[in-house]
Amino acid sequence: MDIEFSLAMPRDAIGIPMVRRVLGDALRSLGVTEDCVSDILLATSEACTNAVRHGGPANRYEVMATIGHGRCELRVVDCGLGLETIPKQYPPSDAENGRGILIMRAVVDEISFDITPGQGTVVRLRKELDWDEDAIAHHLTLAGQLAGV
């Protein structure tokens, strides 16, 4: 079972809660644990915040999600100038910015970036899903794996 959706959002912080709501509701309705949902939403919020802050001159960014095969994969795409460098350590404690990528890295299983200077950035996030014991989607995934689907 795969669920896919994409959202084209205005490059404005007001859309980030909407992305969180749509993605969170989808994951919860499938029976993903709340801790796992929280990690995915935190990483998604950070990626969307970066698209809002750095995705200009375009006035929109896109979030694409695929939920299936026991994992959630997200792509956050902007048309900004692209990142110059990926931080390897947290900034000083008094810095106001610079933690987002490191936070994303801490809460998802895989993170990657496709950066085209002057044309934009694609942030890819992947996390294996943890299921509530009574999650129907988990049982469907297990049955598909046992059947070789």
Side-chain angles (χ1 to χ4, degrees):
M1 166 189 50
D2 282 346
I3 296 171
E4 295 181 16
F5 61 87
S6 64
L7 300 167
M9 303 303 296
R11 228 184 92 233
D12 188 310
I14 198 164
I16 296 171
M18 184 179 301
V19 172
R20 290 177 55 88
R21 179 64 173 251
V22 170
L23 180 58
D25 284 353
L27 293 166
R28 288 181 188 102
S29 70
L30 293 171
V32 176
T33 65
E34 194 57 40
D35 284 345
C36 188
V37 171
S38 294
D39 285 348
I40 292 168
L41 295 182
L42 176 57
T44 302
S45 295
E46 292 295 335
C48 290
T49 298
N50 286 345
V52 167
R53 285 189 182 159
H54 308 294
N59 60 1
R60 300 182 80 67
Y61 69 98
E62 190 171 4
V63 179
M64 292 164 273
T66 302
I67 304 166
H69 304 287
R71 67 181 164 265
C72 178
E73 297 183 29
L74 296 154
R75 289 185 297 153
V76 179
V77 182
D78 71 54
C79 296
L81 300 175
L83 296 167
E84 293 178 20
T85 61
I86 306 291
K88 301 211 184 299
Q89 62 186 24
Y90 284 99
S93 60
D94 60 344
E96 291 185 28
N97 297 309
R99 292 175 180 80
I101 292 172
L102 299 168
I103 290 170
M104 286 184 272
R105 191 172 278 146
V107 297
V108 298
D109 299 319
E110 294 178 37
I111 181 172
S112 65
F113 302 89
D114 292 333
I115 302 165
T116 305
Q119 295 183 1
T121 301
V122 179
V123 178
R124 286 184 166 80
L125 305 168
R126 179 184 289 179
K127 183 156 180 81
E128 296 297 318
L129 298 174
D130 295 326
W131 302 98
D132 290 328
E133 286 185 28
D134 59 346
I136 294 171
H138 176 59
H139 296 295
L140 292 173
T141 301
L142 287 176
Q145 289 171 351
L146 293 174
V149 176

